[in-house]
Amino acid sequence: MKRIPCATYRLQFNRDFTFQRAGEILDYLGDLGVSDVYASPLFEAGPESTHGYDTCCFGKLNPNLGSAEDFERFCKALNDRGFGLLFDLVPNHMSATTSNAWWLGVLRNGPDSAYAKFFDIDWRPNNPTLQGKVLLPVLEDHYGTVLESGKLRLTFQDGEFFISYYDRNFPVNRATMKADGMNNSAALLKDFNGMPGNARSFDKLDALIQRQHYRLAYWRIAPEEINYRRFFDVVEMVAMKMELPEVFRATHELVFDWLKAGKVTGLRIDHPDGLWDPKEYLQRLQASVADSQEKPIYIVVEKILSGDEQLPADWPVAGTTGYDFLNRVNGLFVDRFNALAFDEIYREFTDNNSSFAEIVYNSRRRVLDRAFASELNALTHRLRDIAARSRSWRDFTFSELRRALEEIAASFPVYRTYISETSTQVSAEDRKVIQKAVSGARERINAPEQTAVFEFIERVLLLEIVGELDDAGAKSAREFAMKFQQLTGPAMAKGLEDTAFYQFNRLVSLNEVGGEPEKFGVTPPEFHEANSAAAEHWPQTMLASATHDTKRGEDVRARLNVLSEMPFEWRAAASRWSRLNRRHKTTVKDALAPDSNDEYLLYQTLVGAWPVGGAEQNLAGFRTRVAAFMLKAVKEAKVHTSWTEPNAAYEKAVRDFVERVLDAGNEIFLDDSRSFARRIAFFGRFNSLAQTLLKIASPGVPDFYQGTELWDLNLVDPDNRRPVDYALRQKLLSEVKKKFETAQIGSAEFFSNLLKEEDAGSMKLFLIWRALNFRRTQRELFDSGDYLPLTASGGQQEHLCAFARALPGKKIIVVVPRLVFGLASGTEVPPTGDRIWKDTFLTLPKSRSRDSFRNVLTGETVDTAEYHGKTGLEAGKVLKNFPVALLEKIN
């Protein structure tokens, strides 16, 4: 049987957190209840890489993380403690820098390189100047300007010639040095390197550069001219042709060695939607592993599901990396009845009347037009070639095909469809997606004369015209449909996650990867329905509440969700702060900056991320973090500034505003916002405990991002990749274990003191320790037990979420509060005891009148009771001393 993790713990390896450092915390992770380390990419990456996703060599460990011997010792330490190792594998792309030997070979030898087919390069693009060349958009200015300024130089290093540009060295093909009688002597350098101010002195170097298999170019032309597929729009990452057997073999040899040796026990597949055929890749992966060890392995995929989209049932994986769970558990703590109130508050504060759907559409149109113009143009040329094969279609112009294609891509409701080279027809799910996108695009253009072009493109995407074409035409049509799939994913990601999520700030706790910000809240029945489906179809899927890619920490979201319960107080606070801070704004182009939408985002950010205990100890550090976040946010929003079109004046205004607002001298605002944030944090911590227990007990494998066993008040990367203080966590775990083990069972004093330690986060650590260690002793129940939603009655029934997991002879019950601010009527008291829960009663179908349950977290015993003819549990007794409960049936 394949190894199924009990609980995973994600570690971000880098030059400061090495294999040795990871080995030092394994005992702590074991005590916490973790079973498997979940590692960020470990292959050799760029020298300055902080994340590992820019792979330079699939056959070597990243030397920044330690030596091969260090890795061996780490694997042995894992094995000695019974740990598994889940490895983050990146099959879609590699580093497009000269640190990558394969890429270096392509630049040196072009289409003749042994690795030319490894990368998704169009060697015959429509631009004739790029025939047989790779565009390298790396220059700070136009090529001629950079050349004649002397910044491009011919150099000789280690027996090879290079075109050097600052610290970058681009290879020179030796054959090109022989033209015009040139030899390979380093003495030639003075003949090539010109003198600034004498343009003609650079002619010889220019001629040499033009003979290379790459074209050095101004970075701004990348969106329109680039001829290799990138990871999203990142020019430093080039996509792989993983569908080719030789590429698959070369990139997976070391992974398979690790799997065969038992060093790696599972895989996380990064960005499968970028692959030519994700299902085929995953099938090949499982088949290759089975050949070596005669068993499948645990694989989860970083697949982002949109709306009601389901993970394809025929993918040979255990499930996703958990964004689907993250968003449904997060929504459980948002009060859906206040959606209209928040709409009004948002419009009132920002004067923004755009719907989220409109923002998403416009954002995708923008990125398609500006970031992916080259890909869109290449697809349009392919489409025009297909149209030219029939007299019925050949009169469609390039411009009308491109416009219609762009509209369809911008209207796509999901990241991509999954048509393959073996598809004889499009699946029912994909057909609905394509038809919805075409219908939406047609309605937006609303031009009767364009009906035919939309019908044509729809038939191409649905493979309906394949039978009307010869073999070559059918192949072209299918390839077009598959290439189109590789565009819609990046367009969705960049348009939704990296643009719209920073423009629509109604309640930013909902603006999470895989989320639907327009959907205000998730009801308990909706949560149970999704969990029941997971139990039936994906019982081993990963359950996440924070990752290295989340927009904000899980406890920032837990806090911000409290705002959904108090719209009037929030409106008053935001308005009050805006008046106080108006004097700190700057006029940029006749308007105050930052604008009200960015200001609204800032106030939510402060409320959500305000350091525990206040920022008094390190206000400057908090100010620096928030300023960095806000600068990234306004660039991602692409309204006043962006990464590619920076507006220095607006960015400075934002930075100055944050610094002035969070200056120690701004006392009235700081005192007011600190007080408000502390109140929100009080209730937010109960949301945190609830979502943590739900993650541990729901169908699937709970995952913990590094450091989140205490309060996770991180912001988007790189903020969430800061070093973790494990010495503090080990100390706190040791202390809480000792106090609990020496306290009397169900000690009210112990839990009262624990709930008062709000700053440290010990209550969250305690919950994880108790629940994970119990989960480890009840693997079968959690791995395959039935999922049974439970309902409550009484005055506070809407504030309770509960379910049971059951096998013959075994049962556990999970009980958590929700919407705690309303439950406590805004009073800062823990949601425990009869005073809060009053007559709230949890019905237990098929239970006897005297069943007994032990609370795994507190040690207390609670018996069933009768209420209005039903058998169940009184909420006030279940949650007597601690806000959440994990009950084990004991008779």
Side-chain angles (χ1 to χ4, degrees):
M1 292 293 291
K2 63 183 175 184
R3 177 189 175 94
I4 307 299
C6 181
T8 58
Y9 190 95
R10 169 78 179 206
L11 292 175
Q12 293 294 116
F13 285 90
N14 53 55
R15 64 174 65 250
D16 297 316
F17 190 83
T18 61
F19 297 128
Q20 180 179 342
R21 290 285 305 279
E24 294 168 358
I25 66 167
L26 291 182
D27 288 336
Y28 160 72
L29 296 182
D31 286 347
L32 194 60
V34 171
S35 70
D36 291 60
V37 167
Y38 167 21
S40 61
L42 303 179
F43 288 139
E44 184 177 22
E48 304 303 319
S49 177
T50 60
H51 48 74
Y53 286 95
D54 50 345
T55 306
C56 284
C57 181
F58 283 97
K60 295 180 182 178
L61 281 167
N62 188 337
N64 289 336
L65 313 183
S67 65
E69 292 74 21
D70 291 331
F71 181 64
E72 290 290 333
R73 282 191 288 270
F74 177 60
C75 291
K76 183 178 186 304
L78 289 169
N79 185 66
D80 289 346
R81 293 162 176 79
F83 273 81
L85 178 61
L86 190 67
F87 168 59
D88 194 342
L89 181 61
V90 187
N92 177 67
H93 55 270
M94 289 186 80
S95 171
T97 68
T98 52
S99 297
N100 180 350
W102 292 356
W103 185 245
L104 188 70
V106 169
L107 298 185
R108 176 174 283 121
N109 299 311
D112 295 329
S113 168
Y115 302 107
K117 293 182 179 180
F118 277 44
F119 303 104
D120 199 348
I121 301 169
D122 185 357
W123 292 106
R124 301 182 64 184
N126 289 286
N127 183 343
T129 68
L130 286 175
Q131 297 289 319
K133 291 178 180 283
V134 177
L135 181 74
L136 297 182
V138 298
L139 303 181
E140 67 201 63
D141 206 335
H142 291 276
Y143 167 75
T145 301
V146 174
L147 176 72
E148 292 171 13
S149 68
K151 293 176 180 176
L152 292 174
R153 312 283 292 175
L154 181 66
T155 60
F156 189 77
Q157 305 171 38
D158 300 323
E160 295 287 348
F161 285 97
F162 295 89
I163 304 298
S164 295
Y165 176 61
Y166 294 107
D167 60 346
R168 301 188 186 189
N169 297 308
F170 304 98
V172 172
N173 185 294
R174 280 188 171 269
T176 65
M177 294 295 296
K178 298 178 181 178
D180 302 322
M182 301 176 194
N183 60 47
N184 287 321
S185 169
L188 284 169
L189 296 183
K190 65 179 183 300
D191 297 327
F192 282 86
N193 293 322
M195 293 291 294
N198 181 357
R200 297 305 300 271
S201 68
F202 292 93
D203 288 355
K204 204 168 186 179
L205 179 58
D206 176 45
L208 178 64
I209 294 174
Q210 301 313 310
R211 288 194 291 269
Q212 303 312 308
H213 293 291
Y214 51 85
R215 174 186 155 197
L216 295 172
Y218 187 21
W219 68 268
R220 286 188 179 276
I221 76 168
E224 292 191 35
E225 298 290 340
I226 201 159
N227 63 327
Y228 61 85
R229 186 167 60 87
R230 301 157 288 171
F231 170 66
F232 296 160
D233 60 346
V234 183
V235 297
E236 292 83 9
M237 293 190 186
V238 57
M240 308 288 291
K241 299 195 75 171
M242 196 56 65
E243 63 271 20
L244 300 180
E246 60 267 37
V247 179
F248 182 85
R249 286 194 299 270
T251 54
H252 288 74
E253 184 176 357
L254 184 55
V255 175
F256 293 151
D257 286 345
W258 287 346
L259 287 165
K260 187 175 182 179
K263 297 173 183 176
V264 169
T265 55
L267 297 174
R268 179 256 197 198
I269 305 301
D270 181 70
H271 188 47
D273 276 351
L275 300 173
W276 178 248
D277 187 344
K279 174 186 170 183
E280 188 273 340
Y281 166 78
L282 293 166
Q283 289 175 328
R284 229 177 338 146
L285 190 60
Q286 287 285 19
S288 299
V289 174
D291 288 343
S292 66
Q293 56 186 47
E294 298 182 351
K295 60 182 178 181
I297 57 169
Y298 181 78
I299 297 178
V300 289
V301 287
E302 189 209 20
K303 166 61 188 166
I304 311 301
L305 301 171
S306 301
D308 296 328
E309 182 187 12
Q310 300 297 311
L311 185 66
D314 56 355
W315 284 14
V317 298
T320 72
T321 53
Y323 288 111
D324 42 346
F325 177 82
L326 181 156
N327 283 286
R328 67 175 177 263
V329 76
N330 180 69
L332 195 61
F333 303 97
V334 174
D335 191 342
R336 63 191 178 100
F337 291 108
N338 287 327
L340 293 179
F342 266 75
D343 285 341
E344 183 180 337
I345 296 169
Y346 187 45
R347 283 195 302 267
E348 180 184 272
F349 193 99
T350 66
D351 199 29
N352 186 342
N353 293 309
S354 299
S355 69
F356 181 69
E358 184 178 358
I359 291 173
V360 172
Y361 166 78
N362 289 329
S363 297
R364 282 193 296 213
R365 274 292 307 273
R366 177 190 172 107
V367 299
L368 283 164
D369 192 54
R370 301 190 186 186
F372 299 111
S374 177
E375 290 86 345
L376 192 61
N377 288 338
L379 276 172
T380 306
H381 281 292
R382 284 176 177 263
L383 190 59
R384 189 172 64 172
D385 290 343
I386 296 169
R389 294 175 179 272
S390 169
R391 61 176 175 265
S392 300
W393 315 320
R394 65 175 54 132
D395 286 341
F396 293 138
T397 67
F398 181 89
S399 61
E400 66 181 332
L401 286 170
R402 189 187 188 282
R403 183 186 181 197
L405 200 57
E406 184 177 35
E407 289 288 345
I408 293 170
S411 301
F412 236 63
V414 297
Y415 281 69
R416 65 166 283 176
T417 50
Y418 297 96
I419 297 165
S420 73
E421 291 180 294
T422 59
S423 297
T424 56
Q425 61 182 5
V426 176
S427 69
E429 294 81 7
D430 285 350
R431 175 175 289 273
K432 290 178 183 177
V433 166
I434 292 168
Q435 290 176 334
K436 184 175 182 179
V438 173
S439 176
R442 184 187 289 125
E443 288 178 9
R444 285 186 180 276
I445 289 186
N446 192 26
E449 67 274 12
Q450 297 292 310
T451 299
V453 74
F454 280 110
E455 290 178 349
F456 165 65
I457 297 176
E458 182 177 45
R459 294 190 67 220
V460 174
L461 293 175
L462 292 174
L463 303 183
E464 291 177 352
I465 71 164
V466 168
E468 303 171 22
L469 301 169
D470 58 20
D471 289 346
K475 183 174 184 292
S476 295
R478 191 182 300 276
E479 287 181 350
F480 167 82
M482 295 183 71
K483 277 289 184 183
F484 180 74
Q485 294 176 147
Q486 289 181 299
L487 172 63
T488 58
M492 173 72 90
K494 296 303 295 182
L496 177 67
E497 298 172 24
D498 293 341
T499 305
F501 278 0
Y502 291 96
Q503 287 186 22
F504 184 76
N505 296 322
R506 180 181 60 169
L507 181 65
V508 296
S509 57
L510 299 175
N511 296 16
E512 198 48 82
V513 179
E516 301 174 83
E518 73 275 31
K519 183 176 181 181
F520 206 85
V522 171
T523 65
E526 289 172 330
F527 177 78
H528 292 315
E529 182 180 6
N531 265 7
S532 296
E536 180 178 358
H537 302 291
W538 304 103
Q540 298 160 359
T541 190
M542 185 174 279
L543 308 177
S545 49
T547 77
H548 59 289
D549 278 336
T550 41
K551 301 299 183 185
R552 41 193 58 82
E554 62 184 54
D555 292 312
V556 175
R557 276 183 267 114
R559 287 182 177 185
L560 290 174
N561 288 338
V562 177
L563 296 180
S564 73
E565 301 184 65
M566 47 189 296
F568 303 112
E569 291 187 46
W570 168 239
R571 169 190 270 142
S575 298
R576 191 167 61 248
W577 298 341
S578 183
R579 290 192 300 272
L580 284 170
N581 292 323
R582 183 180 177 84
R583 62 194 174 97
H584 297 310
K585 291 193 174 188
T586 305
T587 300
V588 177
K589 293 183 179 179
D590 300 323
L592 289 178
D595 71 12
S596 56
N597 193 40
D598 292 334
E599 183 182 8
Y600 197 66
L601 170 63
L602 171 63
Y603 294 146
Q604 290 183 71
T605 301
L606 296 181
V607 169
W610 201 280
V612 289
E616 294 87 348
Q617 297 83 3
N618 191 12
L619 182 61
F622 183 51
R623 183 168 59 235
T624 298
R625 290 176 53 216
V626 172
F629 167 79
M630 287 301 299
L631 182 61
K632 178 170 183 173
V634 297
K635 281 178 172 288
E636 296 284 22
K638 305 174 185 65
V639 175
H640 301 286
T641 185
S642 70
W643 299 106
T644 58
E645 300 174 39
N647 181 337
Y650 190 84
E651 292 175 13
K652 184 178 186 302
V654 171
R655 185 167 51 250
D656 289 347
F657 185 73
V658 172
E659 290 178 353
R660 293 164 184 167
V661 162
L662 292 178
D663 185 86
N666 197 23
E667 294 179 0
I668 297 176
F669 168 76
L670 287 179
D671 289 344
D672 190 354
S673 58
R674 184 186 295 116
S675 176
F676 188 89
R678 282 175 171 166
R679 187 165 186 236
I680 296 301
F682 178 88
F683 297 101
R685 59 190 170 127
F686 302 120
N687 287 348
S688 175
L689 297 179
Q691 74 177 1
T692 299
L693 183 56
L694 291 175
K695 179 175 70 172
I696 291 173
S698 290
V701 176
D703 171 56
F704 294 83
Y705 182 63
Q706 60 178 31
T708 60
E709 60 270 34
L710 298 184
W711 303 133
D712 175 18
L713 302 179
N714 290 313
L715 301 170
V716 73
D717 70 280
D719 193 67
N720 63 4
R721 301 181 190 185
R722 291 175 296 147
V724 176
D725 187 346
Y726 282 108
L728 171 64
R729 283 157 176 78
Q730 290 169 311
K731 174 177 176 290
L732 290 177
L733 180 59
S734 176
E735 289 176 354
V736 78
K737 286 173 62 177
K738 184 176 180 180
K739 289 177 182 177
F740 177 76
E741 289 164 356
T742 57
Q744 293 183 345
I745 292 177
S747 168
E749 181 182 4
F750 169 81
F751 290 104
S752 176
N753 290 334
L754 183 64
L755 293 178
K756 289 176 183 176
E757 295 175 6
E758 56 185 275
D759 291 353
S762 295
M763 65 184 79
K764 186 179 180 185
L765 188 69
F766 167 81
L767 167 62
I768 294 170
W769 165 61
R770 293 293 293 170
L772 280 189
N773 278 279
F774 175 73
R775 194 182 196 281
R776 185 155 53 186
T777 67
Q778 302 292 330
R779 286 298 307 271
E780 185 182 9
L781 181 61
F782 284 97
D783 287 350
S784 56
D786 292 338
Y787 182 88
L788 307 170
L790 299 177
T791 58
S793 58
Q796 309 291 0
Q797 61 183 6
E798 290 297 320
H799 296 277
L800 204 65
C801 180
F803 60 81
R805 304 293 306 276
L807 285 174
K810 291 184 179 180
K811 179 185 283 188
I812 62 164
I813 294 173
V814 175
V815 185
V816 303
R818 59 186 292 266
L819 309 180
V820 177
F821 181 88
L823 173 66
S825 300
T827 304
E828 293 184 29
V829 294
T832 56
D834 292 332
R835 184 164 61 92
I836 289 290
W837 291 104
K838 300 181 175 64
D839 64 341
T840 307
F841 187 82
L842 188 65
T843 301
L844 301 183
K846 301 181 181 179
S847 287
R848 300 174 300 178
S849 59
R850 294 300 297 174
D851 280 346
S852 294
F853 292 84
R854 180 181 67 90
N855 189 331
V856 173
L857 306 179
T858 67
E860 298 166 289
T861 300
V862 59
D863 298 327
T864 55
E866 296 289 329
Y867 183 80
H868 292 297
K870 296 180 179 179
T871 302
L873 298 167
E874 298 171 68
K877 289 184 170 56
V878 171
L879 303 175
K880 180 181 178 181
N881 290 314
F882 200 61
V884 298
L886 175 59
L887 307 177
E888 177 187 24
K889 190 173 182 298
I890 56 177
N891 75 338

